[in-house]
C-alpha cells in the first residue's frame, strides 16, 4: 500500500521512494534466504517419515502455502473493508494484490496436496469435502478477477471488487471449518486432534517435524507472502503510471 | 425495522403484480426448468439406481440456473425502466430494496422447485414429494437467492453482466449447494433422518452469515 504514490514526480516524494525500494530489496533477499533455510531444514533436518518416506516433506509446503493464502485472503477482506470506508484506491490495490498472491499460494497448496495424495491415497484427486471446498475457494477468487475485468468504471470496479472480496472469504472459512462439520473427510488433521476417524495418511509430529513446521510456517507467512504482495502492489502502481503517461501522450 | 420490512414487502408485491400482468419471467423460468430436467434425463441415461443418486443434483442445479435466469431479468428490468432510481430516491432504507428483490426471487425459486417436484416424480418415476424435501428447498433457496440478489445488482452494472452473474454466483453458492444436495440425496434415498439432518444447522449457519453480509454491504452496491 506504500507504493501507490510511486512516481508522483516531486523531489520530496523521491527520497522515501528510494528508501522503500531499498527496504523491499532487503526484504526480498531475506525472504530468499529464509526460504533457503526452511528448504534445508525440510530436506535434511526433519527426519524422514517411517511410513510415507520423502513425500511427507511436501507437508511443510502444503501447510505453509495454505496458511499464507489464508492470511493473504484475510488481507483481501481488510483491504476491501478499508476501501469501502475510506474510498482510497490504494486499499483496493492492496486487496487486489493480496487476492492474486493468495490465489497463487492456494494453487500451490492444492498442487502439493495432489502430488502427495498420489502415492498416499493412490489418486491425484478425490471429491472429499475438504478438497472440494479448497477447489471452490480457488474458483471463487478466480471469479473475483473475472468480475474486476467486467467493470469499466474504475470506482464501480473498486467498490464491487471490495464487496466480492468480502463475500468470497466465506469459502475460505468454509474450507477451514469443513473438517469440523464433515468428520467423514479423509484429509488428515495433523495439528491438534481432529474429529476425523476416516483420515488416511496422518502421521505423528516428532520434535524435528514440529520445529521444521514452525520455521516453514513463519517463512511462508512472514516473508514469502508479504514480499510477493509488496511486489504486486508496485507492479500495479507502475501499470497505473504507464496508463497515466499514455493518456498524457495522447493529449 | 418494521418500516424496512414493510417497504421490502411493497417492492416484492410490485414485482409480483408486474409479473402477474406480463407473465414473462416465471414462464421463462419454468420452461427452462422443464427443458433442463428433460435434457438431464436424456444426458444421464439414468438407470433406477443412478437416478436415485443423481436426481437431487438435477433438481438443485435446475433451480439455481432458473434463478440465475430470473435474477438477471428482474434486475435488468429495474434498470431499463429506470425504476431503480425511483427506488433509490424513495425514503426507505437501502436494505429494503435488497430484501424486496430477494423476496420475489425467493418466491420464484420456491415455485420452480415445487412445480418441478411432481414433474420429476413422474419423469424419473421416484417418490420425491415429502415434507422434509420442502424444508430443504426453503432453507437452500434462501441463501442462493440472497447472494444471487446482491450479486445480480452488481453484475447488471457490468459489461457482459448476464454471463457474469453465474460466474460470480455459483462459487459463492457452492457451500450451500453442496450441503443441500447431499441432504436432499439422503432424503430421496430414504436414509434414516440422523444421516442427513446434521446438514440443517450447517445450512442455517451459512444462511445467517450470508444474509448478514449481504445486508451489510448492499448499500455500497447502489450508491451512485
Amino acid at each position: 500500500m506504500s507504493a501507490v504514490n510511486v512516481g508522483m514526480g516531486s523531489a520530496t516524494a523521491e527520497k522515501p521512494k528510494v528508501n522503500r525500494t531499498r527496504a523491499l530489496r532487503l526484504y526480498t533477499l531475506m525472504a530468499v534466504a529464509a526460504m533457503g533455510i526452511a528448504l534445508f531444514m525440510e530436506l535434511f533436518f526433519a527426519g524422514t517419515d517411517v511410513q510415507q518416506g520423502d513425500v511427507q516433506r511436501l507437508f511443510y509446503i502444503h501447510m505453509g502455502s495454505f496458511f499464507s493464502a489464508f492470511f493473504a485472503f484475510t488481507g483481501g477482506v481488510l483491504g476491501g473493508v478499508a476501501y469501502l470506508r475510506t474510498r482510497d484506491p490504494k486499499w483496493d490495490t492492496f486487496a487486489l494484490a493480496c487476492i492474486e498472491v493468495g490465489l497463487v499460494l492456494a494453487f500451490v497448496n492444492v498442487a502439493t496436496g495432489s502430488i502427495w495424495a498420489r502415492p498416499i491415497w493412490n489418486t491425484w484427486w478425490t471429491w472429499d469435502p475438504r478438497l472440494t471446498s479448497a477447489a471452490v475457494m480457488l474458483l471463487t477468487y478466480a471469479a473475483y478477477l473475472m468480475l474486476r475485468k467486467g467493470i469499466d468504471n474504475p470506482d464501480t470496479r473498486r467498490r464491487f471488487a471490495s464487496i466480492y472480496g468480502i463475500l468470497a472469504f466465506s469459502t475460505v472459512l468454509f474450507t477451514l471449518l469443513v473438517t469440523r462439520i464433515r468428520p467423514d473427510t479423509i484429509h488428515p488433521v495433523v495439528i491438534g486432534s481432529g474429529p476425523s476417524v476416516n483420515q488416511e495418511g496422518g502421521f505423528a509430529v516428532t520434535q524435528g517435524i514440529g520445529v521444521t513446521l514452525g520455521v516453514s510456517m513463519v517463512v511462508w507467512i512472514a516473508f514469502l507472502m508479504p514480499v510477493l504482495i509488496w511486489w504486486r502492489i508496485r507492479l500495479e502502481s507502475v501499470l497505473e503510471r504507464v496508463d497515466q503517461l499514455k493518456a498524457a501522450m495522447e493529449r | 425495522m418494521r418500516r424496512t420490512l414493510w417497504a421490502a414487502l411493497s417492492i416484492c408485491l410490485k414485482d409480483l403484480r408486474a409479473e402477474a400482468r406480463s407473465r414473462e419471467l416465471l414462464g421463462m423460468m419454468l420452461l427452462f426448468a422443464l427443458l433442463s430436467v428433460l435434457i438431464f434425463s436424456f444426458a444421464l441415461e439414468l438407470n433406477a439406481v443412478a437416478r436415485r443418486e443423481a436426481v437431487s443434483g438435477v433438481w438443485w442445479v435446475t433451480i439455481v440456473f432458473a434463478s440465475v435466469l430470473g435474477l438477471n431479468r428482474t434486475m435488468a428490468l429495474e434498470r431499463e425502466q429506470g425504476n431503480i432510481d425511483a427506488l433509490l430516491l424513495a425514503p426507505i432504507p437501502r436494505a429494503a430494496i435488497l430484501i424486496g428483490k430477494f423476496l420475489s426471487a425467493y418466491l420464484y425459486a420456491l415455485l420452480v422447485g415445487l412445480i418441478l417436484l411432481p414433474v420429476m416424480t413422474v419423469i424419473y418415476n421416484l417418490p420425491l414429494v415429502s415434507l422434509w424435501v420442502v424444508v430443504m428447498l426453503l432453507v437452500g433457496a434462501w441463501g442462493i437467492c440472497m447472494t444471487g440478489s446482491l450479486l445480480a445488482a452488481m453484475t447488471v452494472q457490468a459489461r457482459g453482466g448476464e454471463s457474469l452473474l453465474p460466474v460470480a454466483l455459483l462459487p459463492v453458492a457452492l457451500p450451500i449447494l453442496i450441503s443441500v444436495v447431499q441432504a436432499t440425496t439422503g432424503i430421496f434415498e430414504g436414509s434414516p433422518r440422523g444421516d442427513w439432518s446434521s446438514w440443517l444447522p450447517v445450512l442455517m449457519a451459512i444462511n445467517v452469515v450470508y444474509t448478514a453480509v449481504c445486508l451489510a454491504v448492499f448499500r455500497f452496491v447502489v450508491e451512485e
Side-chain angles (χ1 to χ4, degrees):
Chain A
M1 64 207 108
S2 46
V4 171
N5 292 326
V6 161
M8 290 308 273
S10 72
T12 45
E14 281 308 310
K15 187 93 179 152
K17 190 190 130 196
V18 172
N19 284 342
R20 273 205 296 263
T21 308
R22 275 199 197 127
L24 176 56
R25 286 211 180 118
L26 186 69
Y27 202 4
T28 311
L29 281 178
M30 280 163 69
V32 171
M35 274 308 273
I37 294 169
L39 209 58
F40 179 82
M41 285 182 77
E42 285 155 18
L43 291 176
F44 302 109
F45 175 71
T48 313
D49 190 81
V50 181
Q51 286 175 333
Q52 302 186 9
D54 282 331
V55 74
Q56 182 267 335
R57 295 180 197 278
L58 270 175
F59 164 72
Y60 307 111
I61 298 175
H62 187 65
M63 270 304 252
S65 56
F66 178 78
F67 278 97
S68 51
F70 171 77
F71 283 111
F73 289 144
T74 312
V77 174
L78 296 179
V81 173
Y83 176 76
L84 289 178
R85 280 177 169 258
T86 62
R87 299 308 158 103
D88 188 337
K90 75 178 183 189
W91 286 115
D92 179 60
T93 310
F94 174 69
L96 169 65
C98 282
I99 284 172
E100 266 193 29
V101 170
L103 196 56
V104 174
L105 294 171
F107 183 75
V108 170
N109 170 256
V110 170
T112 50
S114 189
I115 295 168
W116 174 85
R118 177 68 189 133
I120 304 297
W121 291 345
N122 201 25
T123 176
W124 296 106
W125 186 263
T126 168
W127 291 109
D128 177 78
R130 178 152 249 183
L131 275 66
T132 309
S133 61
V136 170
M137 184 174 87
L138 277 176
L139 287 174
T140 314
Y141 282 101
Y144 169 91
L145 297 178
M146 296 295 283
L147 183 71
R148 285 193 82 98
K149 278 218 181 77
I151 305 166
D152 292 327
N153 182 338
D155 282 332
T156 318
R157 177 171 62 228
R158 294 189 190 111
R159 205 148 39 85
F160 287 2
S162 303
I163 294 169
Y164 199 73
I166 295 168
L167 202 60
F169 194 67
S170 58
T171 60
V172 180
L173 293 179
F174 192 69
T175 308
L176 263 183
L177 299 176
V178 74
T179 43
R180 303 283 179 266
I181 55 176
R182 281 295 300 271
D184 58 332
T185 178
I186 62 171
H187 189 286
V189 178
V190 177
I191 309 300
S193 57
S196 175
V197 284
N198 301 351
Q199 63 175 36
E200 298 283 343
F203 50 85
V205 179
T206 63
Q207 202 184 3
I209 290 180
V211 171
T212 311
L213 179 64
V215 170
S216 29
M217 294 280 270
V218 169
V219 169
W220 279 83
I221 294 169
F223 288 97
L224 188 67
M225 177 200 71
V227 162
L228 287 175
I229 291 175
W230 198 342
W231 279 108
R232 182 66 185 84
I233 292 168
R234 287 184 84 97
L235 178 65
E236 193 66 22
S237 320
V238 173
L239 285 175
E240 269 167 30
R241 181 83 183 125
V242 168
D243 280 348
Q244 281 169 11
L245 288 174
K246 268 186 188 162
M249 296 248 299
E250 277 161 19
R251 235 182 279 135
Chain B
M1 185 66 202
R2 196 164 168 181
R3 216 162 58 95
T4 311
L5 287 180
W6 189 242
L9 205 61
S10 351
I11 293 172
C12 172
L13 285 177
K14 182 263 309 173
D15 276 359
L16 295 184
R17 207 174 300 135
E19 180 54 35
R21 284 172 197 165
S22 67
R23 281 191 215 93
E24 61 171 321
L25 209 64
L26 208 52
M28 187 178 64
M29 285 171 75
L30 282 174
L31 193 60
F32 167 82
L34 291 177
L35 283 171
S36 155
V37 168
L38 277 179
I39 289 169
F40 269 119
S41 78
F42 286 121
L44 300 173
E45 284 289 342
L46 299 169
N47 63 34
V49 181
R51 214 182 293 162
R52 205 171 264 277
E53 283 167 4
V55 72
S56 91
V58 170
W59 188 48
W60 276 106
V61 167
T62 304
I63 293 174
V64 169
F65 279 114
S67 299
V68 166
L69 217 59
L71 282 165
N72 261 333
R73 196 72 208 115
T74 158
M75 285 298 175
L77 277 179
E78 294 285 4
R79 272 195 107 70
E80 274 166 23
Q81 319 279 357
N83 187 41
I84 189 81
D85 299 324
L87 285 178
L88 291 176
L89 281 174
I92 51 172
R94 288 282 153 88
I97 302 175
L98 178 69
I99 300 174
K101 295 310 283 183
F102 157 75
L103 277 179
S104 57
Y106 187 52
L107 284 179
Y108 294 153
L110 292 183
L111 207 61
V112 168
L114 285 179
I115 291 177
L116 277 185
L117 273 182
V119 172
M120 287 173 77
T121 305
V122 172
I123 294 181
Y124 293 100
N125 193 19
L126 288 169
L128 301 180
V129 187
S130 76
L131 184 64
W132 280 109
V133 170
V134 177
V135 172
M136 285 298 165
L137 178 64
L138 287 169
V139 179
W142 182 285
I144 290 166
C145 291
M146 186 51 99
T147 46
S149 306
L150 176 84
L151 290 173
M154 278 160 62
T155 54
V156 75
Q157 300 179 44
R159 184 161 35 90
E162 306 229 321
S163 48
L164 206 53
L165 178 61
V167 174
L169 172 62
L170 287 179
V172 178
L174 261 174
I176 302 172
L177 213 51
I178 292 170
S179 316
V180 85
V181 166
Q182 300 266 2
T184 318
T185 304
I187 300 173
F188 283 165
E189 285 180 340
S191 314
R193 198 200 290 182
D195 284 4
W196 46 263
S197 63
S198 63
W199 283 110
L200 265 178
V202 175
L203 282 164
M204 300 279 202
I206 300 177
N207 277 347
V208 169
V209 172
Y210 274 172
T211 308
V213 173
C214 288
L215 288 176
V217 298
F218 182 70
R219 66 195 172 95
F220 298 114
V221 173
V222 288
E223 63 184 21
E224 76 266 4

